[in-house]
């Protein structure tokens, strides 16, 4: 059988991205909606808000809608030229903040400063595990006290039974949203070396070591979860 190429965030993926992520990630819509509520709670006057790995800007828009504090700026970062170009074209106008700045870059190279809200919404899982601690330390160092990192990830479980069960249920979810068994298995191969999930305790321990003071899961649906890490 032909080898399946590694998954890439190119123009073809950008074209179908919103449909793909909604049909693939249980709870994605709920998380996007709640990012607005969380931003309302955590955005501080005159601070910066970062959406790291913004894709087409779903979380960016929720952050913009949620801001109630005066004088905030949003910075949306993605290293896919196709994603960031489309995000910039379609983001729309917001009167809640002093605008959205788009940066096409590897998020590991972007400076984080004076931040009150940072989202890594299903992005950290694409960063090589060896680079994750340094990235989270950089984010933590660039945040104001009382600010929040919203970290959403696909996860694995230490318990082998639960891990297998939740992976199977996720495949059922994808099947129910119109993906065939062949598509599911080809996507799994394409993501194998690209999306590397970790356990919830591994995420929690690393966030605490990076300097966040309060860390826990606020949302979970099968093997997808979102955490709050308060600085
Ligand atoms: C959403 N947050 O809709 N530097 C910058 N961007 C990167 C990097 C990197 N090193 N690696 C991957 N990306 C979005 C969804 S998608 C999740 C995020 C998914 C970008 C990549 O180009 C893609 O746009 C995004 O991270 C991950 O709320 O496809 O499962």
């Amino acid at each position: 059988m032909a080898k399946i190429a590694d998954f890439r965030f190119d123009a073809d993926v950008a074209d179908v991205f919103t449909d793909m992520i909604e049909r693939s990630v249980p709870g994605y819509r709920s998380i996007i909606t709640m990012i607005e509520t969380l931003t309302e709670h955590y955005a501080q006057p005159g601070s910066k808000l970062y959406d790291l790995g913004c894709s087409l800007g779903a979380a960016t828009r929720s952050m913009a809608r949620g801001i109630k504090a005066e004088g905030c700026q949003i910075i949306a970062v993605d290293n896919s030229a196709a994603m960031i170009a489309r995000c910039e074209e379609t983001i729309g106008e917001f009167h809640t903040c002093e605008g959205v700045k788009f940066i096409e870059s590897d998020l590991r190279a972007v400076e984080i400063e004076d931040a009150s809200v940072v989202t890594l919404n299903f992005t950290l899982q694409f960063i090589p595990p060896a680079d994750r601690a340094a990235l989270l330390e950089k984010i933590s160092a660039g945040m104001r006290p009382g600010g929040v990192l919203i970290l959403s990830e696909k996860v694995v479980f230490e318990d082998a039974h639960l891990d297998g069960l939740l992976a199977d249920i996720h495949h059922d979810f994808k099947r129910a949203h119109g993906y065939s068994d062949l598509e599911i298995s080809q996507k799994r191969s394409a993501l194998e070396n690209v999306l590397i999930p970790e356990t919830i305790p591994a995420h929690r321990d690393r966030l605490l070591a990076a300097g966040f003071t309060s860390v826990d899961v606020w949302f979970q649906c099968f093997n997808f979860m979102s955490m709050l890490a308060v600085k």
Side-chain angles (χ1 to χ4, degrees):
M1 204 173 92
K3 190 179 176 302
I4 303 293
D6 280 352
F7 185 81
R8 294 179 61 236
F9 289 100
D10 56 17
D12 290 344
V13 169
D15 281 343
V16 298
F17 182 75
T18 304
D19 177 61
M20 183 189 83
I21 197 159
E22 287 182 351
R23 289 159 68 213
S24 306
V25 176
Y28 173 77
R29 260 295 127 206
S30 301
I31 292 171
I32 290 294
T33 303
M34 294 304 164
I35 285 174
E36 182 176 335
T37 307
L38 293 167
T39 301
E40 182 175 342
H41 192 84
Y42 283 101
Q44 300 179 16
S47 64
K48 294 189 167 71
L49 289 74
Y50 291 83
D51 185 9
L52 303 177
C54 60
S55 301
L56 300 184
T60 319
R61 275 186 210 90
S62 283
M63 291 163 86
R65 280 194 290 264
I67 294 171
K68 293 286 180 289
E70 294 292 319
C72 293
Q73 189 190 19
I74 301 184
I75 295 127
V77 181
D78 206 289
N79 67 348
S80 158
M83 288 287 194
I84 200 93
R86 244 159 264 200
C87 186
E88 191 164 4
E89 273 162 35
T90 57
I91 196 77
E93 294 275 316
F94 296 103
H95 305 291
T96 50
C97 63
E98 295 183 352
V100 182
K101 181 175 164 191
F102 295 91
I103 303 180
E104 181 190 329
S105 167
D106 190 310
L107 58 90
R108 287 168 288 186
V110 169
E111 197 185 336
I112 307 292
E113 51 174 20
D114 206 21
S116 62
V117 180
V118 178
T119 66
L120 277 167
N121 203 39
F122 301 107
T123 304
L124 188 69
Q125 58 197 15
F126 294 107
I127 302 297
D131 292 350
R132 294 179 187 179
L135 172 64
L136 294 172
E137 283 160 19
K138 175 182 82 171
I139 293 170
S140 170
M143 290 188 69
R144 289 188 185 180
V148 76
L149 167 67
I150 303 165
L151 172 68
S152 311
E153 290 275 291
K154 182 175 190 181
V155 289
V156 288
F157 296 87
E158 277 159 23
D159 183 285
H161 172 73
L162 273 181
D163 193 55
L165 178 75
L166 293 171
D168 287 349
I169 291 176
H170 176 225
H171 292 155
D172 291 344
F173 173 93
K174 290 184 77 167
R175 245 178 251 119
H177 287 83
Y179 285 112
S180 67
D181 288 333
L182 180 63
E183 284 171 316
I184 293 170
S185 85
Q186 286 183 337
K187 183 78 181 284
R188 192 192 306 138
S189 305
L191 283 174
E192 203 167 11
N193 303 313
V194 180
L195 189 170
I196 299 170
E198 295 175 283
T199 61
I200 291 173
H203 284 296
R204 185 183 289 122
D205 291 350
R206 193 171 41 216
L207 288 164
L208 290 168
F212 292 96
T213 53
S214 298
V215 178
D216 218 330
V217 173
W218 67 273
F219 180 92
Q220 187 177 342
C221 188
F222 310 134
N223 47 350
F224 291 81
M225 66 93 209
S226 188
M227 285 183 139
L228 293 179
V230 179
K231 181 70 195 297

